[in-house]
Amino acid sequence: MPTRTGVILAGSLPSRLHALSALLLGLLLVLSGCGDEDGTSIDDQMRRGDPQGYIAGDGSIQVLAPAERQTTITLEGVTLEGHPWSSADHSGEVVVINVWGSWCPPCVAETPDLEQVASTLDDVDAPVQFIGVNYRDSVPSAFAFQRKFAVTYPSLQDDGGRTRAQLQGLAAATPTTMVLDRQGRLAARVSGQVEASTLRGLIDDILSEDM
């Protein structure tokens, strides 16, 4: 007799249960996109810039001592206001890069913390530049988000992932916050939501270093 799924399971009760278990397992594998061959997993989607899913970070923190910093990042793009921006113009400053999207709950949660740190450092003229890298938002949507949270630092427009690709695969999670030292080298990275106290501590440690 057909089940409600329309699949006929014949035989004894144990055999029918075994068949049903196998069927459910197969459905779960299909729905979860576990196969790597067809590139349907969220990891594969992110590598392709596919907007169907995203990787949420776990809040892990990576800190690199000056002698360990081997990755130099130059970030360039166009701000939401339509102006060109380059990290090369901020040589000698600590640059804080935040990858975000208005649709991302951890991004929403961390934005007040980011703005708090950015505005506090700006008030004392600290040599620190914040820059956002928007992902998967239209310019009007990104502007609306920044107005809602009174964000004072600029963000780069999403250009299909090309600007984000300049981060050399080190910002796979959304959000990700990266701190570059005064030589443009990756000094610290938070994969996932960052808190104000954590971010301020990372920045202060890098500011205290000799150039």
Side-chain angles (χ1 to χ4, degrees), residues 45-69:
Q45 291 171 16
M46 285 296 295
R47 281 191 287 268
R48 298 195 315 266
D50 194 322
Q52 295 181 25
Y54 78 101
I55 300 171
D58 58 4
S60 59
I61 302 172
Q62 177 187 25
V63 179
L64 298 170
E68 299 173 329
R69 298 170 192 167

Side-chain angles (χ1 to χ4, degrees), residues 65-67 69-75 87-88 90-95 127 179-187 206-207 209-211:
R69 298 170 192 167
Q70 300 182 6
T71 302
T72 300
I73 292 176
T74 300
L75 178 65
S87 61
H90 299 277
S91 178
E93 299 178 344
V94 172
V95 176
V179 186
L180 309 184
D181 66 14
R182 298 182 193 226
Q183 300 177 45
R185 301 175 303 178
L186 178 65
I206 298 168
L207 283 173
E209 297 171 356
D210 294 331
M211 289 187 65

Side-chain angles (χ1 to χ4, degrees), residues 116-155:
Q116 175 189 330
V117 176
S119 59
T120 300
L121 291 169
D122 187 60
D123 288 343
V124 297
D125 294 323
V128 180
Q129 173 65 49
F130 276 64
I131 184 70
V133 177
N134 182 251
Y135 181 60
R136 285 178 52 188
D137 279 318
S138 65
V139 170
S141 294
F143 261 132
F145 180 89
Q146 290 203 317
R147 285 195 300 269
K148 178 179 179 179
F149 291 97
V151 177
T152 57
Y153 54 86
S155 278

Side-chain angles (χ1 to χ4, degrees), residues 4 10 12 20 29-30 33 41 45 49 62-63 77 96 103 105 107 110 118 123 129 144 148-149 157 168 176 190 211:
R4 291 186 180 181
S12 64
L20 180 58
L29 289 173
V30 171
S41 70
Q45 291 171 16
Q62 177 187 25
V63 179
V96 180
W103 41 268
C107 302
E110 74 173 4
D123 288 343
Q129 173 65 49
K148 178 179 179 179
F149 291 97
Q157 300 178 20
Q168 304 179 36
T176 292
V190 180
M211 289 187 65

